[in-house]
Amino acid sequence: MNETQSEPECANPLFLKWVGEWYSDACKRNTKTQFTLQKAYTSLQRYPLRIDNPQDAVQLQGIGQTIADRLAKKLARWQKENGITPASHQHDGGGRQEPLAECEQEAVVGGANGTRVGGARDGARDVQATQQRTAGSARIYVPRYRTGAFALLIGLYKTLCLYGPDYYIPKSELIPLCEQYTDTPFHVAGTIGGGGSHRGRGGGGGGGSHAQHTAWSGIKTLETKSMVERQGRIKFCLTEEGLAISKKVVELLRTRGELPDDDNRIFAEFETREEQQQQQQQEHQQADDGGYR
């Protein structure tokens, strides 16, 4: 792969670099694996979210168990060379290791000019710190790029920014906020009514829909992963876990230039308010601490 070609920043630069090397080698030897590796490279290049464990990469097109295992072995060698002790990990849902704590720290092709962004030693320190923070934590679910669940997280985050963290949005109002962020249509059968409501004030709304195999199916996945709460039958709200992933999704879309201006403004204003609130809390805390001296 031509690493000097201008292209969007990759969220998984190490994995992309390794797959690119394997692809180049397969091309030189003219083996059939070059076509699979090319698909794998393209999928990694386009995927906007960090993949912390190689086994999770099997969700991408072109990456099967063989490539995932190769990435896992390569990662293990890289960790050993950089003095990183891998976090305990089991493929049946045990603790998750985070080899790419901050992708910017280990980017080999960090920008359009193909320059290196971070060194191995800096990346190793960041990885080790993240592993210590997350050792023993549960697997983190990240929806695939432009799937229904991916789009629903963005729509629910926009709802939170506009109406606050306690607002449950009806399905009929949520779908229009999500449609531009998915390649799968929301073909909702039937009519859904009812306005939004706040937690603890009752709610509901009638009429479900047969939305299997559509983008709306992602809502069940998000509920299962504890990223979304439901009120009644058709009103929804982000949880803290969902909010954390939503922020990462939005930030990555922003860096890729895929966030519409209107939505970018809404998210930016919310983030500014959050920063101001955090700063005020810190100032109050410092004032309280000073009063005890």
Side-chain angles (χ1 to χ4, degrees), residues 9-34:
E9 182 179 353
C10 174
N12 302 282
L14 274 181
F15 294 159
L16 185 71
K17 173 179 179 290
W18 295 335
V19 172
E21 291 173 350
W22 299 336
Y23 169 77
S24 298
D25 182 63
C27 288
K28 292 177 182 178
R29 294 186 289 109
N30 196 28
T31 62
K32 292 182 179 180
T33 56
Q34 64 181 285

Side-chain angles (χ1 to χ4, degrees), residues 162-203:
L162 291 172
Y163 305 113
D166 296 327
Y167 185 81
Y168 283 83
I169 186 170
K171 176 180 179 180
S172 59
E173 296 177 15
L174 174 59
I175 288 176
L177 302 180
C178 308
E179 289 177 312
Q180 64 181 319
Y181 295 108
T182 180
D183 298 323
T184 306
F186 285 93
H187 292 311
V188 181
T191 301
I192 299 175
S197 65
H198 286 74
R199 292 175 183 169
R201 297 186 181 180

Side-chain angles (χ1 to χ4, degrees), residues 23-237:
Y23 169 77
S24 298
D25 182 63
C27 288
K28 292 177 182 178
R29 294 186 289 109
N30 196 28
T31 62
K32 292 182 179 180
T33 56
Q34 64 181 285
F35 304 110
T36 300
L37 289 166
Q38 185 178 32
K39 290 181 181 179
Y41 184 93
T42 301
S43 295
L44 277 170
Q45 191 178 47
R46 293 177 178 176
Y47 192 63
L49 304 178
R50 192 180 75 235
I51 299 174
D52 295 320
N53 190 294
Q55 297 300 329
D56 293 338
V58 296
Q59 66 181 310
L60 302 182
Q61 183 180 10
I63 299 182
Q65 194 60 52
T66 300
I67 294 180
D69 289 343
R70 289 184 69 181
L71 285 171
K73 292 179 181 178
K74 183 75 172 179
L75 176 62
R77 289 198 300 269
W78 177 84
Q79 290 174 322
K80 184 177 181 180
E81 291 170 359
N82 288 280
I84 300 173
T85 302
S88 59
H89 175 75
Q90 295 177 343
H91 300 326
D92 59 357
R96 183 193 190 103
Q97 57 185 349
E98 297 207 11
L100 305 181
E102 294 291 339
C103 64
E104 295 84 2
Q105 296 296 329
E106 272 303 317
V108 177
V109 189
N113 60 357
T115 57
R116 188 177 183 88
V117 174
R121 292 183 181 274
D122 293 337
R125 285 195 293 268
D126 291 335
V127 170
Q128 209 161 19
T130 302
Q131 288 174 333
Q132 292 172 356
R133 291 195 304 269
T134 60
S137 61
R139 276 183 182 272
I140 298 175
Y141 165 76
V142 178
R144 296 174 67 177
Y145 180 58
R146 293 192 65 81
T147 59
F150 181 93
L152 285 163
L153 278 180
I154 300 174
L156 286 164
Y157 182 35
K158 184 176 180 180
T159 300
L160 184 147
C161 294
L162 291 172
Y163 305 113
D166 296 327
Y167 185 81
Y168 283 83
I169 186 170
K171 176 180 179 180
S172 59
E173 296 177 15
L174 174 59
I175 288 176
L177 302 180
C178 308
E179 289 177 312
Q180 64 181 319
Y181 295 108
T182 180
D183 298 323
T184 306
F186 285 93
H187 292 311
V188 181
T191 301
I192 299 175
S197 65
H198 286 74
R199 292 175 183 169
R201 297 186 181 180
S209 65
H210 300 288
Q212 294 181 351
H213 308 300
T214 69
W216 183 252
S217 299
I219 199 70
K220 290 185 178 180
T221 303
L222 295 177
E223 287 184 278
T224 301
K225 302 299 182 181
S226 300
M227 293 187 177
V228 170
E229 289 181 355
R230 179 192 295 254
Q231 184 183 73
R233 296 180 63 187
I234 56 168
K235 298 177 183 178
F236 306 90
C237 183

Side-chain angles (χ1 to χ4, degrees), residues 269 271-281:
E269 289 176 352
E271 291 162 3
T272 299
R273 292 195 300 270
E274 267 198 329
E275 292 177 358
Q276 291 174 346
Q277 291 174 356
Q278 292 174 358
Q279 184 176 0
Q280 290 175 355
Q281 291 175 354

